[in-house]
Amino acid sequence: MRPNPWNVRMSRQMWIVAGLLSIQMAMAQNMPLTEALDRAIEGNPSLQAVQAQREAADLRVWETRGAHLPQISLNAAYSWSEKPLIVLPIHQQGVFPPLDDRIFESNVQVSVPIFTGGKTITRTRAAEAGARQAEANSDAARMDLLQQILLIYIGTAEIDDGRTLLSARLSDLRKRRDELLAQLDEGRTAPAQPALLQSHIEILRADSINLQQNASDLAWRLGRLLGLDAPIEAEVTSLEFSTPELRKELSGERSTERNSEWQRAHATMLQAEAEAAFATASFYPDVSGFALYNYRSGGSAWDPAGEWIAGFRLSLPLLEGGRRIVSLSASRATLRAAEQQLKATEQWVHSEREIAREQWSSAYSRMGHSRQAYRQKAEFVEAQRTLHASGRIPLSELMTQETELLHLALQERGQKYESLRAATQYYRITGMLTRDVLLTIAGEKNQ
């Protein structure tokens, strides 16, 4: 049998690209889903960042609560003056205290807040709302990370299914092409017949390289999500994705309040309420009690003496150029904006939840119809093969029918994974995308 001329004609660039992708994927580490989840939770930089922000927000709450407690301070000073000053206050008529141009002074002071008009409480409320925002951001980042990882494993499984179908089709076409080449050597077929087969083979090879490139992209994305600078290939052989099992779960209503975006918008509104209350409280006076002990001495002749002082302090700004009035108006406008944003977020969550539910239902229904269409088409193609073997239809017609059958198979598999993606989005929108739910969707055998 003469050498196959079409293999020689395959572009060198295609071979190079396919070879590089094969080497890259061969070097990539395979990782099961459970291990990838653990590595991502521990090593994803973005998740670590929002968790640190959440910790900082929690500490700020304690910082504001500290304003309710007594404040103790220690002060010390040593001063020089051009002319001597009195070292101690005048305590007795006719008795003048000593003078010195250098004076040492120190004191310990205790200050206790008595009345702040609610400013301290509102600051704490604002900090608590900020902590709730940080918590919502952390929950959102965690669920987004889980969703992205699951989508990568779903995409990898879809690519593997596509590879299996293309590989089987390529094997069949190569076998048929080799048979035609043998017939061509014997003069029993025309050169156009092997050429037709080779054109289909080249198309499938190009599709295979595209799938390989997609798999490489997913491997790099998975590695990035795990906090690594290397591709990680998703190991999907232990997964059994099962869309029908999700039907009952997806049919139930879930509260909007579990959505992390809604929680963040709600926390923003609470923070705006606290800021508006603080702006109102700024019109009230501050009253505090204090006690201190002064310790003074001249620097030239060391003769320290101390005395205590106690009392109350009232502070009430009278004129600040309208700053407090403007601040109050701005805080109320911010509150109105936060209330409208919360309403918009609630509507967005509701619509996105229903869209995800309908997308799942649509994909699941289309998958059933596509499966039935594939079965009917497979019966028809088998009959066409029989007709072609008896010489009643040309090879081109049979090839067209077989290509349509392959597309139906790919479509049916694709709709299965589309329904899984819609289910994943539903759980994400409803705030229920936990590790256990993710493993249930993936059908992990070893949870």
Side-chain angles (χ1 to χ4, degrees), residues 15 33 36 49 126 137 139 147 225 229 231 238 261 272 296 303 325 352 381 389 401 422 432 441:
W15 280 114
L33 178 58
N137 289 336
D139 292 343
Q147 183 181 27
L225 292 176
D229 293 326
S238 62
E261 283 74 17
R296 296 169 62 94
D303 186 19
I325 296 176
E352 289 298 313
V381 170
Q401 298 302 325
M432 298 186 297
I441 294 175

Side-chain angles (χ1 to χ4, degrees), residues 218-424:
L218 291 178
W220 278 105
R221 289 170 185 167
L222 180 58
R224 185 191 70 227
L225 292 176
L226 302 186
L228 304 174
D229 293 326
I232 301 295
E233 186 175 4
E235 174 58 59
V236 295
T237 56
S238 62
L239 304 181
E240 295 179 350
F241 294 103
S242 180
T243 306
E245 296 179 359
L246 302 175
R247 192 167 195 173
K248 182 177 180 181
E249 293 288 340
L250 288 171
S251 63
E253 291 290 340
R254 292 294 186 268
S255 175
T256 302
E257 284 76 8
R258 298 188 63 171
N259 176 269
S260 55
E261 283 74 17
W262 184 92
Q263 292 174 353
R264 181 164 47 204
H266 185 254
T268 301
M269 187 195 71
L270 293 178
Q271 189 174 47
E273 287 180 344
E275 294 293 345
F278 178 83
T280 301
S282 67
F283 289 90
Y284 298 113
D286 288 336
V287 179
S288 61
F290 69 92
L292 62 87
Y293 188 84
N294 270 326
Y295 195 73
R296 296 169 62 94
S297 173
S300 301
W302 184 254
D303 186 19
E307 60 183 351
W308 63 265
I309 304 174
F312 297 95
R313 183 177 290 115
L314 172 67
S315 175
L316 178 62
L318 297 178
L319 181 62
E320 294 182 330
R323 183 183 62 84
R324 286 178 293 167
I325 296 176
V326 173
S327 176
L328 178 60
S329 300
S331 63
R332 288 176 176 174
T334 301
L335 175 58
R336 291 195 300 272
E339 290 172 343
Q340 293 303 312
Q341 184 59 45
L342 177 62
K343 183 178 180 180
T345 303
E346 185 172 347
Q347 294 173 344
W348 176 82
V349 172
H350 176 75
S351 62
E352 289 298 313
R353 181 184 62 203
E354 295 308 311
I355 288 172
R357 189 201 308 277
E358 292 175 3
Q359 286 178 342
W360 174 84
S361 179
S362 173
Y364 185 76
S365 299
R366 284 185 283 114
M367 180 179 63
H369 293 302
S370 295
R371 183 180 295 118
Q372 185 64 23
Y374 174 79
R375 291 172 181 170
Q376 299 297 325
K377 187 71 174 183
E379 293 181 8
F380 176 76
V381 170
E382 191 61 35
Q384 292 294 96
R385 287 170 180 162
T386 302
L387 293 176
H388 172 69
S390 62
R392 298 173 61 183
I393 62 172
L395 176 62
S396 59
E397 185 174 340
L398 176 62
M399 294 292 295
T400 299
Q401 298 302 325
E402 288 180 336
T403 300
E404 290 179 0
L405 180 65
L406 175 63
H407 289 166
L408 277 175
L410 291 171
Q411 179 177 306
E412 186 265 333
R413 301 290 181 90
Q415 285 162 357
K416 170 187 174 181
Y417 294 109
E418 183 181 341
S419 67
L420 288 169
R421 293 185 183 96
T424 303

Side-chain angles (χ1 to χ4, degrees), residues 84-161:
L85 301 173
I86 59 174
V87 176
L88 299 173
I90 300 175
H91 295 298
Q92 184 176 354
Q93 185 176 4
V95 179
F96 199 78
L99 300 175
D100 203 326
D101 60 351
R102 285 173 289 179
I103 298 177
F104 170 80
E105 180 180 11
S106 65
N107 66 70
V108 177
Q109 178 172 312
V110 179
S111 177
V112 181
I114 298 175
F115 177 78
T116 64
K119 287 186 282 292
T120 302
I121 295 176
T122 54
R123 278 302 186 196
T124 301
R125 284 169 49 195
E128 289 173 343
R132 292 181 64 174
Q133 283 183 336
E135 181 181 4
N137 289 336
S138 178
D139 292 343
R142 183 183 180 90
M143 281 190 287
D144 286 340
L145 181 61
L146 294 177
Q147 183 181 27
Q148 291 179 61
I149 291 176
L150 180 56
L151 291 178
I152 286 176
Y153 276 79
I154 291 174
T156 301
E158 184 176 10
I159 289 173
D160 284 355
D161 278 358

